[in-house]
Structure formats: C-alpha cells, structure tokens
Amino acid sequence: MASVQAQARRRPVIAILTAKDRHRSMRGRFSNFSDIIRVGKKLGATVYVTTAEDIRSSHNNIVGLYYSKQAGMWMTKSFPAPHVIYNRIPFRKYEAKPEIQQMILNFLQDRKVRLFNPFFFNKWTLYEWLSRAKSTKSSLPKTEKLTSPSILETYLEQHAAVYLKPIHGKAGKGIMQGQRIKQDGGPKYRLIHSTGKKRHVHHFWTIPEMWLHLKQKIGAKEYIIQQAIDLTKSHGHPFDLRILVQKNHTNTWQLTGIGARVAGKRSITTHVPRGGSIRSASKVLKAVFGPTRAQEIKENAGTLAIVIAEQIEKSSGYELGEMSMDVGVDSSGKLWFFEANSKPMKFDEPRIRRKSLKTLIQYCIYLSSQSTDKYTESP
C-alpha cells in the first residue's frame, strides 16, 4: 500500500482539449484557460492545454501548454496522459471531422480517461429531447424545422413574429426575425437580421418572395423556425436570463449563477456580440416584478435549468458536466427555454466566474477518482 506521503503527492491530471488552426496555432480563449490552470493548481490538480493531434500522437508524454506566471507567457512542455479531458474544441467544423469524432468516441470508451461534454449541441435535437419530457415540454416555444414556405406561412399566420435560427449556430450568429406587418396597402412581411451590431431590414409582399430571399441567404444551412416570445423589457429593451449549471464534486447538477442579458438598441437578440449588455438578474427582475416576485422567478429559473440539464444529459446518453442556457421571461413571469450551450462562454459576473472555475475543477477531480488509472505522481 502506498504511504500517506506518496498518496499526498498524487494528483489528478486534466487536459483542456482545443484545436489548431491552419497555421498550427492553438485556438481558444487563453485567458479562460489560464484561469482554469490557476484554480486547478490551487485545488491540487495538474491542468494543461493540448490538441487532438498532440493527444493522439502519444499515450504517455503529451505536448501541452501551460501558463508560466514567472515568465509571464505560455510555455510548452511534456505532460502525463490525462485522467480527465475537458472538451473546449471551439469549432463545429473541426469537431465534426471524422478523425476527431473517432478520437472522441475512443476516449468515451476508455476506462482510464473521462471525457465530458463530447459534442456541440444541436438546436433541433435539443427541442426534440425536451419536448418529449413532461417536466420541460411546457417551457418550450412552438418550434419546427424550417423546410418549406408553407411552414413559414403557417407560423406567420399564427404569430406576429418568429425567430429563424441556424441549427448549428452559436452566439446569436445567423439568427433572423420574421414579422407580420399590420398595415394596409404596403408590404405584409418584414425580415430583420444583423451583421455584427449592424441591423438589416427587408420587406416583402408575399411569403414566396420572402422564402426566395431566405433560401438565397441561408443556402444549405439547416434552420428552425420558432414562435417569438414577447419578453419582459428593462427600460424598453427585451431581456432574458443567462444561466450556468454545472456538476459538482458529488456528480450532482447545481446552479452556479444567473445573469441578465439585455438587447441592444433595435437588436433582435440579447447576445452580447450582437449588441446586448450584461446586467444583474436580480436588479432587472426586481425593477419589473418587485422583490418578492423577482426572487420567486429567479428561484424557478434555477430549478428549471437543473431539470433541463438532467433531461438533456439523459437524452444525450453522454456524460455532461456543464452547460449555459438562455431562458426568457414573459410579462406574466412565465419562463421559456430558448437555447443551451455545451461549451459555455465565460461569465463576466465576478461571483459567477469564481464559483464556475472552482466547481469545474472539483467536478474534474471527482471524475479523475472514477478512472481506473486514478492518479499520477506529482513531480
């Protein structure tokens, strides 16, 4: 049996998995990676950044990056094989490559390593999973795949506004809003979309005309069409809740934090890259609903997010460790699920950020204790 001193030297090894671009440079948010490495070290784990190419080329000594505080720069060195792989591959196209898919599947079957959040989510698949469960079905806006002009026409007959979303999109990119216009003698429909923070508006007299424009714009990309929810507003601007849920050290889903994202002027989404702004969820909700109702809505949102996370994980059949969600609030206080992201963006709220980093490492340490090759001697 190993001595107490030897056991104390053992530590879990966590690899942050990212991608290389065509110039062979690693991609990803390195400020995020350095925070994870720092908190990992504080909690007794070895954390490094590597790529699929590097992790496939060696089973024991893997080329990885770490941030040297003394040198003030990222440095390369050889690391032991990981017990846990944290998937932060930033591109869908890269993750969809057959060799990367096969590598991920191999790790999912490897008892010596635990890989979680193996793939990006698909908006349509999420809707299908959640619409089958009684616990989540009532929180979904009406949604269908956008496959024909008749579906577009039906939705715009039933709803004054709809959202058109790319099934494989992220950060609000590619989202458009279709509207039925209430005016006589003019165009009957309007389509709004953004390029960065710039707004574009197109008018149409007929659905076929609108459909032709849409098909020219989206090409072969798959889209869903979704009922637009009349969101509650903060100072005249719609807002929704951005929620982070994570698995903790006991492998249990927990609420890490809730923030508010307020749409920018004339923006059709609340995404920050599209002009949205970050606000305190408590303050925004209190201003609209008062303190008592605001607290109730916030608690309900946290509960709903955990129920959704559990359902998504169950339906996916994979191990998931974290996800962020966009949840809307209508004027009655009803909550609506819009989207979930398996690779959450960094939360800028300091309290949520600190808690998320600690919870992530604690979950990884839990996973490392479940691998057959549990720990590595620290140098």
Side-chain angles (χ1 to χ4, degrees), residues 190-224:
R190 180 187 295 134
L191 185 69
I192 305 169
H193 65 91
S194 301
T195 305
K197 296 180 182 180
K198 188 176 180 181
R199 173 183 165 108
H200 306 274
V201 182
H202 305 272
H203 292 89
F204 307 95
W205 291 85
T206 67
I207 289 293
E209 184 186 358
M210 188 178 188
W211 178 255
L212 180 62
H213 177 86
L214 271 174
K215 292 306 291 180
Q216 289 172 343
K217 183 166 180 58
I218 67 179
K221 290 179 183 175
E222 292 184 291
Y223 265 66
I224 58 170

PDB file of all heavy atoms in Angstrom, residues 190-224:
ATOM      1  N   ARG A 190     -41.847  41.362 -42.872  1.00  0.00           N
ATOM      2  CA  ARG A 190     -40.551  42.009 -42.652  1.00  0.00           C
ATOM      3  C   ARG A 190     -39.560  40.957 -42.140  1.00  0.00           C
ATOM      4  O   ARG A 190     -39.911  40.099 -41.337  1.00  0.00           O
ATOM      5  CB  ARG A 190     -40.705  43.128 -41.624  1.00  0.00           C
ATOM      6  CG  ARG A 190     -39.413  43.873 -41.302  1.00  0.00           C
ATOM      7  CD  ARG A 190     -39.628  44.849 -40.144  1.00  0.00           C
ATOM      8  NE  ARG A 190     -40.556  45.904 -40.491  1.00  0.00           N
ATOM      9  CZ  ARG A 190     -41.563  46.312 -39.713  1.00  0.00           C
ATOM     10  NH1 ARG A 190     -41.788  45.723 -38.547  1.00  0.00           N
ATOM     11  NH2 ARG A 190     -42.350  47.289 -40.103  1.00  0.00           N
ATOM     12  N   LEU A 191     -38.315  41.043 -42.617  1.00  0.00           N
ATOM     13  CA  LEU A 191     -37.251  40.155 -42.137  1.00  0.00           C
ATOM     14  C   LEU A 191     -36.105  41.014 -41.620  1.00  0.00           C
ATOM     15  O   LEU A 191     -35.627  41.907 -42.322  1.00  0.00           O
ATOM     16  CB  LEU A 191     -36.763  39.246 -43.271  1.00  0.00           C
ATOM     17  CG  LEU A 191     -35.732  38.184 -42.880  1.00  0.00           C
ATOM     18  CD1 LEU A 191     -36.383  37.112 -42.001  1.00  0.00           C
ATOM     19  CD2 LEU A 191     -35.116  37.539 -44.128  1.00  0.00           C
ATOM     20  N   ILE A 192     -35.686  40.732 -40.384  1.00  0.00           N
ATOM     21  CA  ILE A 192     -34.630  41.518 -39.748  1.00  0.00           C
ATOM     22  C   ILE A 192     -33.477  40.593 -39.377  1.00  0.00           C
ATOM     23  O   ILE A 192     -33.686  39.512 -38.835  1.00  0.00           O
ATOM     24  CB  ILE A 192     -35.151  42.219 -38.479  1.00  0.00           C
ATOM     25  CG1 ILE A 192     -36.388  43.069 -38.789  1.00  0.00           C
ATOM     26  CG2 ILE A 192     -34.063  43.088 -37.852  1.00  0.00           C
ATOM     27  CD1 ILE A 192     -37.104  43.578 -37.553  1.00  0.00           C
ATOM     28  N   HIS A 193     -32.264  41.021 -39.676  1.00  0.00           N
ATOM     29  CA  HIS A 193     -31.084  40.280 -39.237  1.00  0.00           C
ATOM     30  C   HIS A 193     -29.939  41.256 -38.993  1.00  0.00           C
ATOM     31  O   HIS A 193     -30.037  42.442 -39.325  1.00  0.00           O
ATOM     32  CB  HIS A 193     -30.679  39.211 -40.265  1.00  0.00           C
ATOM     33  CG  HIS A 193     -30.232  39.765 -41.585  1.00  0.00           C
ATOM     34  ND1 HIS A 193     -28.917  40.053 -41.861  1.00  0.00           N
ATOM     35  CD2 HIS A 193     -30.936  40.090 -42.700  1.00  0.00           C
ATOM     36  CE1 HIS A 193     -28.828  40.523 -43.096  1.00  0.00           C
ATOM     37  NE2 HIS A 193     -30.046  40.560 -43.625  1.00  0.00           N
ATOM     38  N   SER A 194     -28.879  40.758 -38.395  1.00  0.00           N
ATOM     39  CA  SER A 194     -27.758  41.621 -38.034  1.00  0.00           C
ATOM     40  C   SER A 194     -26.457  41.077 -38.589  1.00  0.00           C
ATOM     41  O   SER A 194     -26.266  39.866 -38.702  1.00  0.00           O
ATOM     42  CB  SER A 194     -27.631  41.750 -36.511  1.00  0.00           C
ATOM     43  OG  SER A 194     -28.811  42.280 -35.953  1.00  0.00           O
ATOM     44  N   THR A 195     -25.549  41.994 -38.908  1.00  0.00           N
ATOM     45  CA  THR A 195     -24.169  41.659 -39.217  1.00  0.00           C
ATOM     46  C   THR A 195     -23.334  42.353 -38.156  1.00  0.00           C
ATOM     47  O   THR A 195     -23.175  43.573 -38.189  1.00  0.00           O
ATOM     48  CB  THR A 195     -23.758  42.157 -40.621  1.00  0.00           C
ATOM     49  OG1 THR A 195     -24.673  41.633 -41.579  1.00  0.00           O
ATOM     50  CG2 THR A 195     -22.354  41.706 -40.953  1.00  0.00           C
ATOM     51  N   GLY A 196     -22.848  41.570 -37.194  1.00  0.00           N
ATOM     52  CA  GLY A 196     -22.229  42.203 -36.037  1.00  0.00           C
ATOM     53  C   GLY A 196     -23.282  42.994 -35.289  1.00  0.00           C
ATOM     54  O   GLY A 196     -24.304  42.454 -34.885  1.00  0.00           O
ATOM     55  N   LYS A 197     -23.085  44.298 -35.148  1.00  0.00           N
ATOM     56  CA  LYS A 197     -24.059  45.141 -34.468  1.00  0.00           C
ATOM     57  C   LYS A 197     -24.887  45.972 -35.454  1.00  0.00           C
ATOM     58  O   LYS A 197     -25.680  46.821 -35.048  1.00  0.00           O
ATOM     59  CB  LYS A 197     -23.340  46.059 -33.473  1.00  0.00           C
ATOM     60  CG  LYS A 197     -22.657  45.291 -32.349  1.00  0.00           C
ATOM     61  CD  LYS A 197     -21.953  46.218 -31.378  1.00  0.00           C
ATOM     62  CE  LYS A 197     -21.233  45.429 -30.295  1.00  0.00           C
ATOM     63  NZ  LYS A 197     -20.528  46.315 -29.337  1.00  0.00           N
ATOM     64  N   LYS A 198     -24.705  45.722 -36.756  1.00  0.00           N
ATOM     65  CA  LYS A 198     -25.449  46.458 -37.777  1.00  0.00           C
ATOM     66  C   LYS A 198     -26.739  45.732 -38.121  1.00  0.00           C
ATOM     67  O   LYS A 198     -26.752  44.520 -38.341  1.00  0.00           O
ATOM     68  CB  LYS A 198     -24.591  46.622 -39.033  1.00  0.00           C
ATOM     69  CG  LYS A 198     -25.213  47.541 -40.076  1.00  0.00           C
ATOM     70  CD  LYS A 198     -24.266  47.746 -41.250  1.00  0.00           C
ATOM     71  CE  LYS A 198     -24.894  48.668 -42.297  1.00  0.00           C
ATOM     72  NZ  LYS A 198     -24.005  48.858 -43.461  1.00  0.00           N
ATOM     73  N   ARG A 199     -27.834  46.456 -38.181  1.00  0.00           N
ATOM     74  CA  ARG A 199     -29.165  45.894 -38.406  1.00  0.00           C
ATOM     75  C   ARG A 199     -29.559  46.032 -39.877  1.00  0.00           C
ATOM     76  O   ARG A 199     -29.347  47.078 -40.495  1.00  0.00           O
ATOM     77  CB  ARG A 199     -30.152  46.643 -37.499  1.00  0.00           C
ATOM     78  CG  ARG A 199     -31.631  46.331 -37.699  1.00  0.00           C
ATOM     79  CD  ARG A 199     -32.401  47.232 -36.764  1.00  0.00           C
ATOM     80  NE  ARG A 199     -33.820  47.298 -37.066  1.00  0.00           N
ATOM     81  CZ  ARG A 199     -34.775  46.747 -36.330  1.00  0.00           C
ATOM     82  NH1 ARG A 199     -34.451  46.085 -35.245  1.00  0.00           N
ATOM     83  NH2 ARG A 199     -36.042  46.885 -36.636  1.00  0.00           N
ATOM     84  N   HIS A 200     -30.147  44.955 -40.440  1.00  0.00           N
ATOM     85  CA  HIS A 200     -30.624  44.959 -41.821  1.00  0.00           C
ATOM     86  C   HIS A 200     -32.111  44.604 -41.831  1.00  0.00           C
ATOM     87  O   HIS A 200     -32.531  43.664 -41.150  1.00  0.00           O
ATOM     88  CB  HIS A 200     -29.855  43.944 -42.672  1.00  0.00           C
ATOM     89  CG  HIS A 200     -28.369  44.116 -42.620  1.00  0.00           C
ATOM     90  ND1 HIS A 200     -27.681  44.987 -43.441  1.00  0.00           N
ATOM     91  CD2 HIS A 200     -27.435  43.525 -41.833  1.00  0.00           C
ATOM     92  CE1 HIS A 200     -26.395  44.926 -43.170  1.00  0.00           C
ATOM     93  NE2 HIS A 200     -26.219  44.041 -42.194  1.00  0.00           N
ATOM     94  N   VAL A 201     -32.901  45.352 -42.599  1.00  0.00           N
ATOM     95  CA  VAL A 201     -34.348  45.118 -42.667  1.00  0.00           C
ATOM     96  C   VAL A 201     -34.773  44.971 -44.123  1.00  0.00           C
ATOM     97  O   VAL A 201     -34.399  45.772 -44.981  1.00  0.00           O
ATOM     98  CB  VAL A 201     -35.133  46.290 -42.019  1.00  0.00           C
ATOM     99  CG1 VAL A 201     -36.629  46.004 -42.062  1.00  0.00           C
ATOM    100  CG2 VAL A 201     -34.676  46.526 -40.581  1.00  0.00           C
ATOM    101  N   HIS A 202     -35.558  43.913 -44.405  1.00  0.00           N
ATOM    102  CA  HIS A 202     -36.066  43.662 -45.752  1.00  0.00           C
ATOM    103  C   HIS A 202     -37.581  43.506 -45.676  1.00  0.00           C
ATOM    104  O   HIS A 202     -38.102  42.897 -44.744  1.00  0.00           O
ATOM    105  CB  HIS A 202     -35.452  42.385 -46.338  1.00  0.00           C
ATOM    106  CG  HIS A 202     -33.950  42.379 -46.333  1.00  0.00           C
ATOM    107  ND1 HIS A 202     -33.192  42.898 -47.353  1.00  0.00           N
ATOM    108  CD2 HIS A 202     -33.076  41.931 -45.393  1.00  0.00           C
ATOM    109  CE1 HIS A 202     -31.917  42.758 -47.060  1.00  0.00           C
ATOM    110  NE2 HIS A 202     -31.813  42.172 -45.885  1.00  0.00           N
ATOM    111  N   HIS A 203     -38.288  44.045 -46.664  1.00  0.00           N
ATOM    112  CA  HIS A 203     -39.742  43.973 -46.704  1.00  0.00           C
ATOM    113  C   HIS A 203     -40.203  43.113 -47.884  1.00  0.00           C
ATOM    114  O   HIS A 203     -39.571  43.126 -48.949  1.00  0.00           O
ATOM    115  CB  HIS A 203     -40.355  45.371 -46.807  1.00  0.00           C
ATOM    116  CG  HIS A 203     -40.158  46.191 -45.572  1.00  0.00           C
ATOM    117  ND1 HIS A 203     -39.049  46.988 -45.377  1.00  0.00           N
ATOM    118  CD2 HIS A 203     -40.926  46.316 -44.457  1.00  0.00           C
ATOM    119  CE1 HIS A 203     -39.142  47.582 -44.198  1.00  0.00           C
ATOM    120  NE2 HIS A 203     -40.266  47.195 -43.626  1.00  0.00           N
ATOM    121  N   PHE A 204     -41.328  42.420 -47.695  1.00  0.00           N
ATOM    122  CA  PHE A 204     -41.837  41.522 -48.726  1.00  0.00           C
ATOM    123  C   PHE A 204     -43.364  41.612 -48.787  1.00  0.00           C
ATOM    124  O   PHE A 204     -44.035  41.771 -47.770  1.00  0.00           O
ATOM    125  CB  PHE A 204     -41.429  40.070 -48.426  1.00  0.00           C
ATOM    126  CG  PHE A 204     -39.950  39.904 -48.193  1.00  0.00           C
ATOM    127  CD1 PHE A 204     -39.432  39.911 -46.907  1.00  0.00           C
ATOM    128  CD2 PHE A 204     -39.078  39.771 -49.263  1.00  0.00           C
ATOM    129  CE1 PHE A 204     -38.073  39.782 -46.692  1.00  0.00           C
ATOM    130  CE2 PHE A 204     -37.711  39.642 -49.060  1.00  0.00           C
ATOM    131  CZ  PHE A 204     -37.208  39.641 -47.766  1.00  0.00           C
ATOM    132  N   TRP A 205     -43.882  41.436 -50.017  1.00  0.00           N
ATOM    133  CA  TRP A 205     -45.327  41.446 -50.208  1.00  0.00           C
ATOM    134  C   TRP A 205     -45.921  40.057 -50.020  1.00  0.00           C
ATOM    135  O   TRP A 205     -47.073  39.921 -49.623  1.00  0.00           O
ATOM    136  CB  TRP A 205     -45.651  41.952 -51.615  1.00  0.00           C
ATOM    137  CG  TRP A 205     -45.332  43.410 -51.808  1.00  0.00           C
ATOM    138  CD1 TRP A 205     -44.126  43.951 -52.140  1.00  0.00           C
ATOM    139  CD2 TRP A 205     -46.239  44.506 -51.653  1.00  0.00           C
ATOM    140  NE1 TRP A 205     -44.201  45.325 -52.200  1.00  0.00           N
ATOM    141  CE2 TRP A 205     -45.497  45.693 -51.907  1.00  0.00           C
ATOM    142  CE3 TRP A 205     -47.595  44.614 -51.325  1.00  0.00           C
ATOM    143  CZ2 TRP A 205     -46.074  46.958 -51.853  1.00  0.00           C
ATOM    144  CZ3 TRP A 205     -48.169  45.884 -51.285  1.00  0.00           C
ATOM    145  CH2 TRP A 205     -47.412  47.027 -51.532  1.00  0.00           C
ATOM    146  N   THR A 206     -45.138  39.031 -50.336  1.00  0.00           N
ATOM    147  CA  THR A 206     -45.657  37.663 -50.279  1.00  0.00           C
ATOM    148  C   THR A 206     -44.684  36.726 -49.573  1.00  0.00           C
ATOM    149  O   THR A 206     -43.482  37.007 -49.477  1.00  0.00           O
ATOM    150  CB  THR A 206     -45.912  37.112 -51.696  1.00  0.00           C
ATOM    151  OG1 THR A 206     -44.642  36.951 -52.362  1.00  0.00           O
ATOM    152  CG2 THR A 206     -46.815  38.031 -52.501  1.00  0.00           C
ATOM    153  N   ILE A 207     -45.201  35.590 -49.115  1.00  0.00           N
ATOM    154  CA  ILE A 207     -44.367  34.554 -48.498  1.00  0.00           C
ATOM    155  C   ILE A 207     -43.378  33.960 -49.510  1.00  0.00           C
ATOM    156  O   ILE A 207     -42.193  33.786 -49.180  1.00  0.00           O
ATOM    157  CB  ILE A 207     -45.230  33.449 -47.865  1.00  0.00           C
ATOM    158  CG1 ILE A 207     -45.943  33.983 -46.606  1.00  0.00           C
ATOM    159  CG2 ILE A 207     -44.390  32.222 -47.513  1.00  0.00           C
ATOM    160  CD1 ILE A 207     -45.017  34.322 -45.439  1.00  0.00           C
ATOM    161  N   PRO A 208     -43.802  33.622 -50.753  1.00  0.00           N
ATOM    162  CA  PRO A 208     -42.829  33.098 -51.724  1.00  0.00           C
ATOM    163  C   PRO A 208     -41.649  34.044 -51.959  1.00  0.00           C
ATOM    164  O   PRO A 208     -40.509  33.604 -52.112  1.00  0.00           O
ATOM    165  CB  PRO A 208     -43.667  32.925 -53.002  1.00  0.00           C
ATOM    166  CG  PRO A 208     -45.055  32.657 -52.496  1.00  0.00           C
ATOM    167  CD  PRO A 208     -45.190  33.543 -51.284  1.00  0.00           C
ATOM    168  N   GLU A 209     -41.947  35.348 -51.971  1.00  0.00           N
ATOM    169  CA  GLU A 209     -40.887  36.346 -52.148  1.00  0.00           C
ATOM    170  C   GLU A 209     -39.930  36.311 -50.951  1.00  0.00           C
ATOM    171  O   GLU A 209     -38.700  36.346 -51.114  1.00  0.00           O
ATOM    172  CB  GLU A 209     -41.532  37.731 -52.286  1.00  0.00           C
ATOM    173  CG  GLU A 209     -40.554  38.865 -52.569  1.00  0.00           C
ATOM    174  CD  GLU A 209     -41.227  40.222 -52.556  1.00  0.00           C
ATOM    175  OE1 GLU A 209     -42.461  40.288 -52.373  1.00  0.00           O
ATOM    176  OE2 GLU A 209     -40.510  41.232 -52.716  1.00  0.00           O
ATOM    177  N   MET A 210     -40.488  36.225 -49.774  1.00  0.00           N
ATOM    178  CA  MET A 210     -39.689  36.159 -48.549  1.00  0.00           C
ATOM    179  C   MET A 210     -38.872  34.861 -48.505  1.00  0.00           C
ATOM    180  O   MET A 210     -37.701  34.857 -48.124  1.00  0.00           O
ATOM    181  CB  MET A 210     -40.618  36.254 -47.329  1.00  0.00           C
ATOM    182  CG  MET A 210     -39.920  36.392 -46.004  1.00  0.00           C
ATOM    183  SD  MET A 210     -41.170  36.547 -44.667  1.00  0.00           S
ATOM    184  CE  MET A 210     -40.127  36.938 -43.267  1.00  0.00           C
ATOM    185  N   TRP A 211     -39.509  33.769 -48.897  1.00  0.00           N
ATOM    186  CA  TRP A 211     -38.853  32.462 -48.888  1.00  0.00           C
ATOM    187  C   TRP A 211     -37.652  32.438 -49.843  1.00  0.00           C
ATOM    188  O   TRP A 211     -36.586  31.908 -49.511  1.00  0.00           O
ATOM    189  CB  TRP A 211     -39.845  31.376 -49.265  1.00  0.00           C
ATOM    190  CG  TRP A 211     -39.238  30.003 -49.333  1.00  0.00           C
ATOM    191  CD1 TRP A 211     -38.927  29.295 -50.458  1.00  0.00           C
ATOM    192  CD2 TRP A 211     -38.867  29.168 -48.233  1.00  0.00           C
ATOM    193  NE1 TRP A 211     -38.388  28.087 -50.136  1.00  0.00           N
ATOM    194  CE2 TRP A 211     -38.338  27.971 -48.772  1.00  0.00           C
ATOM    195  CE3 TRP A 211     -38.939  29.318 -46.846  1.00  0.00           C
ATOM    196  CZ2 TRP A 211     -37.878  26.926 -47.972  1.00  0.00           C
ATOM    197  CZ3 TRP A 211     -38.489  28.268 -46.044  1.00  0.00           C
ATOM    198  CH2 TRP A 211     -37.957  27.098 -46.610  1.00  0.00           C
ATOM    199  N   LEU A 212     -37.826  33.004 -51.024  1.00  0.00           N
ATOM    200  CA  LEU A 212     -36.746  33.048 -52.008  1.00  0.00           C
ATOM    201  C   LEU A 212     -35.544  33.809 -51.437  1.00  0.00           C
ATOM    202  O   LEU A 212     -34.393  33.375 -51.574  1.00  0.00           O
ATOM    203  CB  LEU A 212     -37.238  33.707 -53.294  1.00  0.00           C
ATOM    204  CG  LEU A 212     -36.205  33.838 -54.430  1.00  0.00           C
ATOM    205  CD1 LEU A 212     -35.727  32.457 -54.876  1.00  0.00           C
ATOM    206  CD2 LEU A 212     -36.796  34.619 -55.611  1.00  0.00           C
ATOM    207  N   HIS A 213     -35.814  34.937 -50.791  1.00  0.00           N
ATOM    208  CA  HIS A 213     -34.732  35.713 -50.180  1.00  0.00           C
ATOM    209  C   HIS A 213     -34.033  34.899 -49.084  1.00  0.00           C
ATOM    210  O   HIS A 213     -32.796  34.896 -48.998  1.00  0.00           O
ATOM    211  CB  HIS A 213     -35.307  37.008 -49.591  1.00  0.00           C
ATOM    212  CG  HIS A 213     -34.279  37.842 -48.886  1.00  0.00           C
ATOM    213  ND1 HIS A 213     -33.492  38.756 -49.540  1.00  0.00           N
ATOM    214  CD2 HIS A 213     -33.909  37.882 -47.567  1.00  0.00           C
ATOM    215  CE1 HIS A 213     -32.677  39.320 -48.662  1.00  0.00           C
ATOM    216  NE2 HIS A 213     -32.917  38.817 -47.461  1.00  0.00           N
ATOM    217  N   LEU A 214     -34.826  34.209 -48.265  1.00  0.00           N
ATOM    218  CA  LEU A 214     -34.264  33.396 -47.184  1.00  0.00           C
ATOM    219  C   LEU A 214     -33.352  32.305 -47.725  1.00  0.00           C
ATOM    220  O   LEU A 214     -32.239  32.105 -47.219  1.00  0.00           O
ATOM    221  CB  LEU A 214     -35.393  32.753 -46.374  1.00  0.00           C
ATOM    222  CG  LEU A 214     -35.952  33.523 -45.191  1.00  0.00           C
ATOM    223  CD1 LEU A 214     -37.162  32.789 -44.624  1.00  0.00           C
ATOM    224  CD2 LEU A 214     -34.881  33.697 -44.121  1.00  0.00           C
ATOM    225  N   LYS A 215     -33.820  31.586 -48.741  1.00  0.00           N
ATOM    226  CA  LYS A 215     -33.038  30.483 -49.289  1.00  0.00           C
ATOM    227  C   LYS A 215     -31.732  30.981 -49.904  1.00  0.00           C
ATOM    228  O   LYS A 215     -30.697  30.320 -49.812  1.00  0.00           O
ATOM    229  CB  LYS A 215     -33.856  29.711 -50.340  1.00  0.00           C
ATOM    230  CG  LYS A 215     -35.030  28.944 -49.766  1.00  0.00           C
ATOM    231  CD  LYS A 215     -34.609  27.997 -48.639  1.00  0.00           C
ATOM    232  CE  LYS A 215     -33.774  26.832 -49.124  1.00  0.00           C
ATOM    233  NZ  LYS A 215     -33.371  25.911 -48.033  1.00  0.00           N
ATOM    234  N   GLN A 216     -31.779  32.153 -50.513  1.00  0.00           N
ATOM    235  CA  GLN A 216     -30.551  32.726 -51.071  1.00  0.00           C
ATOM    236  C   GLN A 216     -29.566  33.093 -49.964  1.00  0.00           C
ATOM    237  O   GLN A 216     -28.354  32.984 -50.132  1.00  0.00           O
ATOM    238  CB  GLN A 216     -30.886  33.968 -51.908  1.00  0.00           C
ATOM    239  CG  GLN A 216     -31.601  33.648 -53.211  1.00  0.00           C
ATOM    240  CD  GLN A 216     -32.083  34.895 -53.925  1.00  0.00           C
ATOM    241  OE1 GLN A 216     -32.176  35.988 -53.343  1.00  0.00           O
ATOM    242  NE2 GLN A 216     -32.408  34.753 -55.215  1.00  0.00           N
ATOM    243  N   LYS A 217     -30.115  33.481 -48.826  1.00  0.00           N
ATOM    244  CA  LYS A 217     -29.275  33.909 -47.714  1.00  0.00           C
ATOM    245  C   LYS A 217     -28.679  32.733 -46.938  1.00  0.00           C
ATOM    246  O   LYS A 217     -27.502  32.746 -46.579  1.00  0.00           O
ATOM    247  CB  LYS A 217     -30.073  34.804 -46.763  1.00  0.00           C
ATOM    248  CG  LYS A 217     -29.235  35.358 -45.619  1.00  0.00           C
ATOM    249  CD  LYS A 217     -29.940  36.476 -44.899  1.00  0.00           C
ATOM    250  CE  LYS A 217     -29.071  37.010 -43.767  1.00  0.00           C
ATOM    251  NZ  LYS A 217     -27.751  37.496 -44.232  1.00  0.00           N
ATOM    252  N   ILE A 218     -29.490  31.717 -46.651  1.00  0.00           N
ATOM    253  CA  ILE A 218     -29.022  30.635 -45.770  1.00  0.00           C
ATOM    254  C   ILE A 218     -28.428  29.458 -46.537  1.00  0.00           C
ATOM    255  O   ILE A 218     -27.725  28.629 -45.933  1.00  0.00           O
ATOM    256  CB  ILE A 218     -30.143  30.139 -44.833  1.00  0.00           C
ATOM    257  CG1 ILE A 218     -31.258  29.440 -45.626  1.00  0.00           C
ATOM    258  CG2 ILE A 218     -30.708  31.295 -44.026  1.00  0.00           C
ATOM    259  CD1 ILE A 218     -32.377  28.908 -44.746  1.00  0.00           C
ATOM    260  N   GLY A 219     -28.699  29.359 -47.826  1.00  0.00           N
ATOM    261  CA  GLY A 219     -28.125  28.285 -48.616  1.00  0.00           C
ATOM    262  C   GLY A 219     -28.547  26.918 -48.099  1.00  0.00           C
ATOM    263  O   GLY A 219     -29.724  26.662 -47.861  1.00  0.00           O
ATOM    264  N   ALA A 220     -27.550  26.054 -47.882  1.00  0.00           N
ATOM    265  CA  ALA A 220     -27.823  24.677 -47.455  1.00  0.00           C
ATOM    266  C   ALA A 220     -27.889  24.532 -45.939  1.00  0.00           C
ATOM    267  O   ALA A 220     -28.112  23.432 -45.427  1.00  0.00           O
ATOM    268  CB  ALA A 220     -26.759  23.748 -48.014  1.00  0.00           C
ATOM    269  N   LYS A 221     -27.695  25.619 -45.209  1.00  0.00           N
ATOM    270  CA  LYS A 221     -27.712  25.540 -43.743  1.00  0.00           C
ATOM    271  C   LYS A 221     -29.098  25.161 -43.243  1.00  0.00           C
ATOM    272  O   LYS A 221     -30.106  25.640 -43.753  1.00  0.00           O
ATOM    273  CB  LYS A 221     -27.300  26.875 -43.126  1.00  0.00           C
ATOM    274  CG  LYS A 221     -25.836  27.222 -43.327  1.00  0.00           C
ATOM    275  CD  LYS A 221     -25.520  28.568 -42.706  1.00  0.00           C
ATOM    276  CE  LYS A 221     -24.074  28.963 -42.971  1.00  0.00           C
ATOM    277  NZ  LYS A 221     -23.783  30.332 -42.482  1.00  0.00           N
ATOM    278  N   GLU A 222     -29.123  24.318 -42.211  1.00  0.00           N
ATOM    279  CA  GLU A 222     -30.395  23.904 -41.616  1.00  0.00           C
ATOM    280  C   GLU A 222     -30.845  24.943 -40.586  1.00  0.00           C
ATOM    281  O   GLU A 222     -30.044  25.407 -39.775  1.00  0.00           O
ATOM    282  CB  GLU A 222     -30.238  22.545 -40.935  1.00  0.00           C
ATOM    283  CG  GLU A 222     -29.996  21.395 -41.887  1.00  0.00           C
ATOM    284  CD  GLU A 222     -29.948  20.071 -41.137  1.00  0.00           C
ATOM    285  OE1 GLU A 222     -28.988  19.860 -40.389  1.00  0.00           O
ATOM    286  OE2 GLU A 222     -30.886  19.270 -41.304  1.00  0.00           O
ATOM    287  N   TYR A 223     -32.139  25.257 -40.633  1.00  0.00           N
ATOM    288  CA  TYR A 223     -32.705  26.258 -39.725  1.00  0.00           C
ATOM    289  C   TYR A 223     -33.937  25.696 -39.018  1.00  0.00           C
ATOM    290  O   TYR A 223     -34.603  24.788 -39.523  1.00  0.00           O
ATOM    291  CB  TYR A 223     -33.119  27.504 -40.505  1.00  0.00           C
ATOM    292  CG  TYR A 223     -32.076  28.604 -40.532  1.00  0.00           C
ATOM    293  CD1 TYR A 223     -30.868  28.426 -41.188  1.00  0.00           C
ATOM    294  CD2 TYR A 223     -32.294  29.812 -39.869  1.00  0.00           C
ATOM    295  CE1 TYR A 223     -29.912  29.435 -41.219  1.00  0.00           C
ATOM    296  CE2 TYR A 223     -31.355  30.830 -39.888  1.00  0.00           C
ATOM    297  CZ  TYR A 223     -30.154  30.638 -40.567  1.00  0.00           C
ATOM    298  OH  TYR A 223     -29.217  31.639 -40.580  1.00  0.00           O
ATOM    299  N   ILE A 224     -34.228  26.266 -37.855  1.00  0.00           N
ATOM    300  CA  ILE A 224     -35.519  26.048 -37.212  1.00  0.00           C
ATOM    301  C   ILE A 224     -36.295  27.356 -37.248  1.00  0.00           C
ATOM    302  O   ILE A 224     -35.714  28.433 -37.392  1.00  0.00           O
ATOM    303  CB  ILE A 224     -35.382  25.579 -35.738  1.00  0.00           C
ATOM    304  CG1 ILE A 224     -34.584  26.606 -34.908  1.00  0.00           C
ATOM    305  CG2 ILE A 224     -34.793  24.184 -35.648  1.00  0.00           C
ATOM    306  CD1 ILE A 224     -34.611  26.338 -33.404  1.00  0.00           C
TER     307      ILE A 224
END
